[in-house]
Amino acid sequence: MKKKRICIVTANRAEYSRVKTVLEAISKNQKLEYILIVIGSHLLRKYGNTYREIERDGFTIHERIYNTIEGENPVTMAKSAGFAIIELATLLDSYKPDFVVVLTDRYETLSAAVTAAFLNIPVAHIQGGEVTGTIDESIRHAVTKFAHVHFAASEASRQRIIKLGETPEFVFNVGCPATDLLLRAKILRQKEVLTNEEIKNPHIKANDPFIVVLQHPVTTEFGEGYSQIEETLYAIKDFGMQTIMLWPNVDAGSEHIVTAIRRFLEEYRLRNIFMYRHITNSLFIQLLYHCKCLIGNSSSGIRESCYFGTPVVNIGTRQHGRERGKNVVDVGYGRHLILKAIKKQVSHGRYPRENVFGKGDAGRKIADILSTINGIKVQKIITY
Ligand code: UDP
């Protein structure tokens, strides 16, 4: 029997965390085969060469697309999306998959969805229907309009996709595949985590409390990233707890954040802030569990931390409107507000766990649906 060919396009670590268990389930499914295309910041050293994590996990990378133009500004972001379309058109035409699976809301997601649609290849979209800030909000809903099958991560998202005029029969609430990874993780002792090869540093005190900071640019507030991250940096400096901090993603405005962090660390020579490009997902999950507070605007604060009840200080508009647990406190960009929120969250301690985005079986459900679904028509019709 000919296997259904599923082409998956992943652009960065956030997307990979949403597709890893889907890849595992496809590999086990007799009726499916995958073609994995890796694109975007996955392939850049500056962003941690995260394609290596995919290889370490044992998956075959069939194609690599170098589409990212340096500059991290609105123009290079648009051009990078364009390069992705040009390359994907050739690849998707030669692989002729039965489905193209696209993830979340990155500019490469839009490129992949548009290209597949032009080539009359059905599109399956993981994580549509959510609400956030930044350009991601527009991309996500635009991709919904190109997609034929929708794998929403919550019931509210499923309902929103249906309201956008999509056929309810093809809109599924499966939960988030990143949740699968969280719920199967075996929690290690903090000392083991902070002395791990990837994290260890002679100045890290492995038994002492720590916080994690991860703050990305907001593309719709381009030009404000420098001052936004400075406010966060002053707050964590004043708070004084040892801090594991990650460099931001590749989106427009990234350079402003990077420059601000560099200057700040040079000026204050703080010995208790430790910088990393990327931490392997299984280890990042351990940090999420053990940290006293997660600070910034990463989706991991909203989508993942509720499963551990980790206190979160969510800064600014990037996650505006996204479903979240009670463990998240929202603040604006002021240093005093941020500091006050961190103190409040750290003294509160762990919150009760909440299951907001699924029960840990999303990858398997997505593969099952892809292997059995029939009746997809390339011609889409709005339902109202
Ligand atoms: N993540 C990871 N290692 C890291 C940082 C993040 O594995 O060093 C994972 C994290 O668990 C989450 C995803 O990447 O699933 C989200 O990361 P990020 O904040 O980079 O992106 P966003 O989704 O906010 O755009």
Side-chain angles (χ1 to χ4, degrees):
M1 192 189 71
K2 190 170 162 289
K3 291 185 174 189
K4 264 193 202 170
R5 179 172 278 189
I6 311 296
C7 188
I8 297 177
V9 183
T10 169
N12 70 4
R13 65 178 175 216
E15 291 200 346
Y16 179 55
S17 72
R18 268 79 153 176
V19 81
K20 179 172 163 176
T21 61
V22 179
L23 282 161
E24 288 172 358
I26 291 178
S27 305
K28 286 187 201 144
N29 191 312
Q30 302 288 325
K31 295 185 189 152
L32 300 176
E33 65 177 6
Y34 72 81
I35 299 293
L36 184 57
I37 300 181
V38 167
I39 188 167
S41 64
H42 263 317
L43 299 166
L44 302 180
R45 187 180 160 273
K46 198 168 156 187
Y47 297 99
N49 274 335
T50 48
Y51 74 91
R52 289 198 190 134
E53 190 171 330
I54 304 178
E55 291 177 336
R56 276 200 301 274
D57 287 338
F59 299 115
T60 304
I61 296 175
H62 298 83
E63 301 289 347
R64 292 155 199 250
I65 298 180
Y66 294 90
N67 67 306
T68 313
I69 301 183
E70 188 161 359
E72 284 90 349
N73 63 47
V75 176
T76 59
M77 197 155 79
K79 287 190 183 181
S80 300
F83 274 126
I85 292 180
I86 291 168
E87 296 277 324
L88 281 164
T90 310
L91 291 180
L92 295 184
D93 184 46
S94 70
Y95 279 107
K96 301 206 178 341
D98 296 287
F99 269 103
V100 173
V101 173
V102 298
L103 297 142
T104 72
D105 43 35
R106 297 204 45 77
Y107 51 84
E108 293 93 346
T109 312
L110 186 62
S111 308
V114 168
T115 311
F118 277 128
L119 296 179
N120 288 331
I121 302 168
V123 175
H125 183 205
I126 296 178
Q127 212 186 294
E130 296 184 17
V131 179
T132 64
T134 198
I135 186 72
D136 304 2
E137 169 74 1
S138 313
I139 292 177
R140 190 179 320 105
H141 301 316
V143 169
T144 290
K145 296 314 300 176
F146 285 103
H148 301 80
V149 180
H150 309 267
F151 295 117
S154 71
E155 186 50 30
S157 301
R158 192 181 83 89
Q159 292 302 335
R160 250 180 246 115
I161 293 169
I162 293 170
K163 278 191 196 155
L164 284 167
E166 297 300 298
T167 309
E169 191 189 343
F170 297 128
V171 189
F172 304 91
N173 170 14
V174 292
C176 179
T179 301
D180 304 0
L181 301 174
L182 290 177
L183 293 183
R184 75 184 189 189
K186 182 177 165 287
I187 298 302
L188 306 171
R189 285 180 309 129
Q190 177 181 311
K191 190 172 178 185
E192 269 181 84
V193 179
L194 295 189
T195 53
N196 182 288
E197 209 47 46
E198 230 181 283
I199 294 181
K200 77 173 187 197
N201 178 303
H203 299 291
I204 289 187
K205 298 193 176 69
N207 289 316
D208 283 9
F210 68 96
I211 54 175
V212 173
V213 180
L214 178 48
Q215 189 163 328
H216 301 296
V218 179
T219 63
T220 42
E221 296 165 5
F222 183 76
E224 293 167 41
Y226 192 103
S227 56
Q228 289 173 352
I229 193 72
E230 248 191 350
E231 295 301 307
T232 305
L233 288 164
Y234 278 111
I236 59 175
K237 173 176 162 291
D238 290 350
F239 187 59
M241 189 178 276
Q242 62 176 346
T243 301
I244 293 200
M245 184 160 184
L246 287 126
W247 295 105
N249 72 12
V250 69
D251 285 349
S254 182
E255 278 298 322
H256 302 154
I257 293 187
V258 169
T259 307
I261 296 173
R262 287 225 166 92
R263 287 195 185 148
F264 192 89
L265 293 182
E266 268 168 35
E267 183 172 350
Y268 292 102
R269 304 217 167 266
L270 299 172
R271 282 295 187 88
N272 64 343
I273 299 182
F274 306 96
M275 297 299 307
Y276 301 85
R277 287 183 206 281
H278 168 71
I279 293 168
T280 304
N281 188 258
S282 52
L283 205 52
F284 186 80
I285 288 173
Q286 304 290 333
L287 293 178
L288 267 189
Y289 179 86
H290 285 291
C291 70
K292 295 296 170 211
C293 186
L294 175 66
I295 297 144
N297 60 14
S298 164
S299 70
S300 53
I302 309 294
R303 305 179 65 81
E304 290 160 50
S305 56
C306 56
Y307 286 87
F308 296 146
T310 304
V312 172
V313 173
N314 176 54
I315 302 170
T317 58
R318 188 168 185 262
Q319 301 297 340
H320 185 80
R322 188 165 244 157
E323 281 171 84
R324 75 260 326 270
K326 294 187 181 61
N327 60 324
V328 181
V329 167
D330 293 305
V331 282
Y333 294 108
R335 66 190 75 174
H336 301 298
L337 291 173
I338 298 170
L339 180 59
K340 197 168 149 210
I342 298 173
K343 284 182 178 165
K344 181 177 164 219
Q345 286 291 63
V346 171
S347 68
H348 182 285
R350 198 174 294 288
Y351 284 77
R353 290 169 171 240
E354 286 178 83
N355 289 17
V356 182
F357 292 103
K359 299 196 177 79
D361 53 1
R364 185 186 52 73
K365 281 183 178 160
I366 291 171
D368 285 351
I369 293 167
L370 287 172
S371 69
T372 51
I373 201 161
N374 287 313
I376 302 290
K377 292 196 175 62
V378 167
Q379 176 61 64
K380 291 191 64 176
I381 303 174
I382 199 160
T383 54
Y384 56 83

